Amino acid sequence: MNYFSRQQGLTLIELLAAMVILALVLGLGNVGFSRLIESHERQAALDNLYRFFQTGRNEAVTQRTMVTICPLSKDDVCSNDWNLPIQMFLDPHNERQLSADTKLLRSLDPPKRGTLEARPAWKSYFQFRPIGTAHGTLGNIT
């Protein structure tokens, strides 16, 4: 029996062709996979923000006082920079800042990728009344 007549592996050209095809398939898959991850991160950020506002509304009803949601500046006053951590606090005197009469309830970090832009009508904050309705025009966040 002649052992040299049977092929025992791949030729260099076959191996290179297989590697090129594999690289193309992985490259195309990587683009689709990164888009899937970005879409999932965006949806997770929106879900977290939605739950944060729902919690604020629930806290206003439960605590029977005004709840303010806004990013706070360094001096603990509501800011227009929605890429700072967003704070939720009890605001019984409608001061729109942390003070001795307010209680910080929760904090939400900004998304790791992308930016938030809020348009709460003419103000830099969102508020819920003790009955659960929005105080003033609620606005939107994109």
Side-chain angles (χ1 to χ4, degrees):
M1 187 178 215
N2 187 356
Y3 289 106
F4 296 107
S5 66
R6 286 192 335 197
Q7 186 176 359
Q8 294 291 322
L10 300 173
T11 66
L12 182 60
I13 293 174
E14 291 171 332
L15 182 62
L16 287 175
M19 289 178 65
V20 167
I21 291 171
L22 182 64
L24 287 172
V25 169
L26 288 176
L28 293 174
N30 190 25
V31 171
F33 190 65
S34 64
R35 285 184 184 158
L36 178 67
I37 290 173
E38 286 177 17
S39 173
H40 176 70
E41 287 176 350
R42 190 177 315 117
Q43 189 60 46
L46 290 173
D47 290 344
N48 287 339
L49 195 59
Y50 177 75
R51 280 192 300 266
F52 192 74
F53 273 80
Q54 285 296 100
T55 302
R57 181 179 177 273
N58 290 339
E59 286 290 339
V61 172
T62 304
Q63 301 286 338
R64 296 182 184 165
T65 189
M66 182 89 68
V67 170
T68 299
I69 297 174
C70 67
L72 293 174
S73 63
K74 291 179 183 177
D75 53 349
D76 289 336
V77 176
C78 284
S79 166
N80 283 327
D81 185 3
W82 285 82
N83 296 299
L84 294 172
I86 302 168
Q87 311 297 329
M88 174 194 313
F89 54 93
L90 298 180
D91 195 2
H93 302 296
N94 195 16
E95 297 172 316
R96 297 169 303 281
Q97 65 182 4
L98 283 179
S99 66
D101 294 337
T102 59
K103 176 184 174 190
L104 184 63
L105 298 172
R106 297 193 194 296
S107 180
L108 178 67
D109 290 331
K112 292 178 179 77
R113 297 170 75 177
T115 59
L116 291 177
E117 191 173 315
R119 292 187 175 89
W122 49 271
K123 50 196 177 185
S124 61
Y125 55 89
F126 295 93
Q127 289 181 314
F128 290 103
R129 292 184 177 126
I131 59 173
T133 61
H135 180 72
T137 305
L138 196 54
N140 64 50
I141 297 179
T142 54

